[in-house]
Amino acid sequence: MPTGFERGYVVGVDIGGTKIEAVLLSDEGAVVSSGRLPARQGGDQVVSDVEALVRQVAGTLFSKLAMIGVGIPGQVNAQTGHVSNVVNLGIGEYDLGSVLQRRLGLPVRVENDVNVAALGAAGIAKAPKKGTTVFLNFGTGLAAGIIIDNQLQHGESGAVGEIGHLPVDPNRFDCPCGQKGCLETVCSGSAVSRLWPYDNPALPGLIAAAQRGERNASEILAKVTHAMGDAVQIVVQLTDPRRIIIGGGMAKTGKPLLDLISREIGTREKHCAFLRNLDIASRLELARLDEPLGAIGAALLCR
């Protein structure tokens, strides 16, 4: 990934469905400071919180800032900074980039939050500059960040990778986007918490209950695992990536999550030579979750 920064310090901000994180990076790309705030609903509230967090992490170095990079869920016009359909934050349409630029007096670049997480994950993992890397985010929502030959992919409207709103799940649960059966309604962090409200975090508790032989847990885990397999298979057959980096809050489950997905893919491969030849499991890896990937990736936009 690109390693050159605008002269001066930069701040990367990652706006998630439940929290906002920021990092201050030096000229050399070293993390100088970081901070976090809970996310609030509405565009004006998000702007106020981002401004406060940028000023907090920059501190006395605010006057030396060269640029701000921001990641946010939903559809993002990376050229204008306009965002839309940020359903988890209650934002319909909002000129996030221009409003932040006026408030902070600095250039601001805005990207989809999963795209900036992809930049952060691929940069830390030293992903190859040629070929395709996919960051599959099992977080509050579900989406994929796609990097081809070192370039983020956007598409015509910025909706590339929004696989969470593919209405293909047979359970047909209602989705906040207005459809039924979206993948996000079964295999996102918020969905698993709804389906298994007995543990926090939900997925490790669900796995443990299923391993104890609890029938209800086994049935729910089968639904979740099947949807995760669909998500992986979709990105593989659409982009044929060299690497699939699994991230998001549910990735904190660690190896048991990777094992779940690999077993699901293995089951599908038993009956399909086409899938066996793709060797999907060998492409899977976990993101490094000891780093604020989204905020670091947002800072990498400032190049």
Side-chain angles (χ1 to χ4, degrees):
M1 301 311 301
T3 56
F5 293 89
E6 294 286 341
R7 187 166 183 170
Y9 292 85
V10 298
V11 171
V13 182
D14 178 27
I15 303 169
T18 59
K19 67 181 183 301
I20 303 174
E21 291 185 311
V23 296
L24 173 68
L25 265 61
S26 68
D27 283 349
E28 295 77 27
V31 175
V32 178
S33 64
S34 62
R36 175 187 291 190
L37 288 173
R40 295 188 294 163
Q41 295 280 304
D44 293 341
Q45 287 77 13
V46 167
V47 165
S48 294
D49 292 340
V50 169
E51 179 185 6
L53 194 54
V54 168
R55 294 186 184 278
Q56 175 189 318
V57 299
T60 60
L61 297 172
F62 184 84
S63 63
K64 296 185 179 181
L65 290 181
M67 192 173 182
I68 309 296
V70 178
I72 187 170
Q75 291 175 265
V76 178
N77 185 321
Q79 300 301 314
T80 66
H82 182 81
V83 303
S84 56
N85 300 317
V86 190
V87 294
N88 291 321
L89 288 170
I91 298 174
E93 303 282 341
Y94 202 82
D95 287 321
L96 182 65
S98 59
V99 174
L100 275 175
Q101 188 162 315
R102 288 196 301 271
R103 293 277 289 264
L104 291 165
L106 289 162
V108 175
R109 185 171 177 190
V110 184
E111 263 287 1
N112 173 268
D113 66 330
V114 176
N115 282 347
V116 297
L119 284 177
I124 290 172
K126 297 182 172 59
K129 292 187 176 182
K130 291 293 183 181
T132 301
T133 296
V134 171
F135 178 80
L136 188 53
N137 187 75
F138 291 106
T140 303
L142 168 67
I146 301 169
I147 302 169
I148 300 177
D149 294 341
N150 211 37
Q151 296 295 317
L152 277 173
Q153 303 302 298
H154 297 98
E156 184 66 24
S157 62
V160 164
E162 291 290 345
I163 65 168
H165 295 294
L166 287 172
V168 297
D169 186 77
N171 296 288
R172 306 298 293 169
F173 295 131
D174 289 335
C175 182
C177 79
Q179 301 184 99
K180 291 180 180 291
C182 291
L183 281 177
E184 185 171 298
T185 64
V186 182
C187 65
S188 64
S190 57
V192 177
S193 294
R194 173 179 54 81
L195 292 168
W196 187 257
Y198 313 110
D199 292 288
N200 186 20
L203 185 60
L206 175 60
I207 293 172
Q211 290 174 340
R212 291 193 300 268
E214 295 184 25
R215 182 175 177 180
N216 185 43
S218 297
E219 291 174 353
I220 293 171
L221 186 60
K223 292 177 182 179
V224 172
T225 304
H226 185 271
M228 286 181 171
D230 283 348
V232 170
Q233 190 173 335
I234 285 166
V235 299
V236 168
Q237 291 181 227
L238 282 176
T239 67
D240 196 17
R242 184 180 301 181
R243 306 172 75 185
I244 305 168
I245 304 174
I246 305 295
M250 286 207 294
K252 295 177 182 178
T253 305
K255 188 174 180 296
L257 172 61
L258 215 55
D259 291 342
L260 277 179
I261 296 172
S262 296
R263 283 197 297 269
E264 173 66 22
I265 296 300
T267 298
R268 299 179 186 204
E269 288 176 346
K270 289 178 183 178
H271 307 287
C272 181
F274 167 71
L275 287 180
R276 285 197 299 274
N277 289 336
L278 293 179
D279 193 17
I280 294 172
S282 70
R283 312 184 194 198
L284 298 173
E285 61 186 88
L286 287 171
R288 281 185 52 180
L289 297 177
D290 56 339
E291 302 277 359
L293 299 181
I296 290 173
L300 285 171
L301 295 170
C302 307
R303 58 187 186 271

